[in-house]
Amino acid sequence: MQEGNKILSNKFGYRKMATPSTLCCAILLFLFPLQFMATTTPSCPGDCEPNDADDNDRFHFAQNLEFLEAEFFLYGALGKGLDAFEPEFAKGGPPPIGGRRANLDYLTRRIIEEFGYQEIGHNREIVRRTGGIPRPLIDISSENFAKLFDKAAGYNLDPPFDPYEDPIKYMLAVYAIPYVGLNGYVGTTPCLKKFASKQLVAGLLGVESGQDAATREWLYKKGDEKVEPYDITVVEFTNMISRLRNELGKCGIKDEGLIVPKELGAENRTTSNVLSADPNSLSYPRTPQEILRIVYSTGDEHRPGGFFPKGGNGRIAREYLYNDQLRGL
């Protein structure tokens, strides 16, 4: 346990960070005059608070994740990506790195194929309503996933993790992607100003949540199985990935594996965790800053890497990049 922001660890590997609530900022804004506030340090952690952006900016940010999901699902199921179906959506952006057809059974391939088609629809609707963004460079190579799973495990897996090798590994890789987009939509909803924007995010969030639920159920049924050739079960891998995303996000517990301690289970009565949710079984929100820290795998929204080697596109993502040479949009 550390002083200040307290971090609690338990046998499941979760680290629970106690951060000040946003209520404290509201009280300060109400009670103190502006001249006093100007010399006072805010008590809320700014890097966990929503950023200032308009509705289109927020959907453009989300499209980075929609591109990532579309490419990974379409390549995994069919061996070809978004350009084979709707090449104009990319707006001249580069093709993804390392995508290929995964070794999936019939049922799993049908599920992932459907996910891929759904992501085409999501991109179409964002482009239609907001104009969209150029597709960023996306890395869905087995080498990139191997680095992610090494980081989650805390050591180099031998042989390196390859999501395209079999259905269990692929679905574990799927586990690592859509949930972050789901969190983003939950986090952005209160910030939207237009009714049409709220209507759109509700439709997108519904399907993203369904994808996450289907993925978690698929993995839950195989929870005690060892992932060959590692001496690690499916449940243990999900806990590792969730723990890593919490650490990278740096804003407390907003991600949970398939089995959790009772204090994180629904109503503190179960260790089963088919759906990840807060103490009142509401979906966790994440800000763009948190999401970038996670999908970049750097823990820093200013330093690209991971799934986006050159960073995301759109105003929100580009403004966080530390390198002026990358600020092309």
Side-chain angles (χ1 to χ4, degrees):
M1 182 178 295
Q2 302 177 2
E3 293 299 325
N5 283 348
K6 296 180 179 178
I7 300 177
L8 307 178
S9 299
N10 57 43
K11 64 181 181 179
F12 291 85
Y14 287 95
R15 288 158 45 108
K16 188 167 186 177
M17 182 181 295
T19 57
S21 73
T22 53
L23 178 61
C24 62
C25 282
I27 293 172
L28 284 173
L29 288 169
F30 181 78
L31 292 180
F32 294 100
L34 290 177
Q35 61 268 31
F36 179 79
M37 290 172 56
T39 59
T40 303
T41 302
S43 58
C44 284
D47 59 352
C48 298
E49 296 301 309
N51 58 340
D52 186 20
D54 66 24
D55 288 7
N56 279 3
D57 289 336
R58 297 186 188 282
F59 283 113
H60 290 167
F61 179 81
Q63 195 179 8
N64 288 290
L65 278 297
E66 299 288 2
F67 276 131
L68 170 60
E69 294 169 21
E71 299 294 4
F72 187 55
F73 297 152
L74 291 171
Y75 269 103
L78 304 170
K80 53 189 177 182
L82 188 60
D83 288 345
F85 299 92
E86 299 286 356
E88 69 278 9
F89 289 178
K91 294 185 177 297
I97 300 169
R100 69 177 197 265
R101 184 181 171 100
N103 181 25
L104 305 177
D105 59 84
Y106 175 79
L107 178 61
T108 306
R109 190 175 305 281
R110 290 296 301 273
I111 292 170
I112 299 304
E113 182 181 5
E114 181 180 345
F115 284 6
Y117 296 148
Q118 290 166 350
E119 296 306 326
I120 294 175
H122 288 185
N123 277 282
R124 178 182 297 111
E125 197 64 10
I126 291 175
V127 169
R128 184 178 74 83
R129 298 206 193 192
T130 73
I133 58 172
R135 178 178 56 199
L137 181 64
I138 295 170
D139 188 349
I140 51 173
S141 66
S142 56
E143 292 80 9
N144 185 46
F145 276 101
K147 292 176 185 176
L148 175 67
F149 277 78
D150 285 351
K151 186 175 290 189
Y155 60 91
N156 293 337
L157 297 172
D158 185 22
F161 188 93
D162 181 357
Y164 300 104
E165 190 171 60
D166 59 55
I168 289 182
K169 293 188 185 71
Y170 187 85
M171 293 303 283
L172 282 168
V174 172
Y175 177 91
I177 296 178
Y179 181 68
V180 180
L182 181 165
N183 294 149
Y185 284 132
V186 174
T188 204
T189 299
C191 304
L192 297 173
K193 299 175 177 64
K194 300 175 183 177
F195 173 79
S197 299
K198 295 176 182 178
Q199 186 180 46
L200 174 57
V201 83
L204 295 167
L205 178 57
V207 174
E208 293 289 331
S209 300
Q211 290 176 352
D212 184 62
T215 300
R216 293 177 72 98
E217 181 188 15
W218 192 102
L219 292 168
Y220 189 86
K221 291 177 179 178
K222 299 180 181 294
D224 292 330
E225 291 186 24
K226 293 286 180 69
V227 180
E228 297 296 337
Y230 315 111
D231 190 29
I232 303 172
T233 67
V234 169
V235 163
E236 288 168 341
F237 263 120
T238 66
N239 287 342
M240 290 174 180
I241 291 293
S242 291
R243 182 176 64 246
L244 175 63
R245 289 192 294 206
N246 286 329
E247 291 174 355
L248 291 172
K250 297 182 179 178
C251 291
I253 292 179
K254 296 187 178 182
D255 203 317
E256 301 164 347
L258 295 176
I259 299 294
V260 295
K262 275 193 176 181
E263 58 264 29
L264 292 179
E267 294 300 299
N268 307 132
R269 294 175 181 270
T270 179
T271 61
S272 174
N273 202 48
V274 178
L275 300 180
S276 178
D278 74 7
N280 290 315
S281 293
L282 303 178
S283 293
Y284 290 108
R286 283 199 187 276
T287 64
Q289 302 96 299
E290 295 173 74
I291 292 171
L292 291 175
R293 294 173 201 144
I294 293 168
V295 297
Y296 289 173
S297 294
T298 63
D300 183 350
E301 63 270 33
H302 306 94
R303 189 157 55 94
F307 294 117
F308 298 95
K310 295 187 177 180
N313 278 342
R315 186 179 73 82
I316 294 175
R318 302 311 282 185
E319 285 187 351
Y320 283 117
L321 293 181
Y322 73 100
N323 188 338
D324 289 341
Q325 293 179 351
L326 293 176
R327 295 178 186 270
L329 298 175

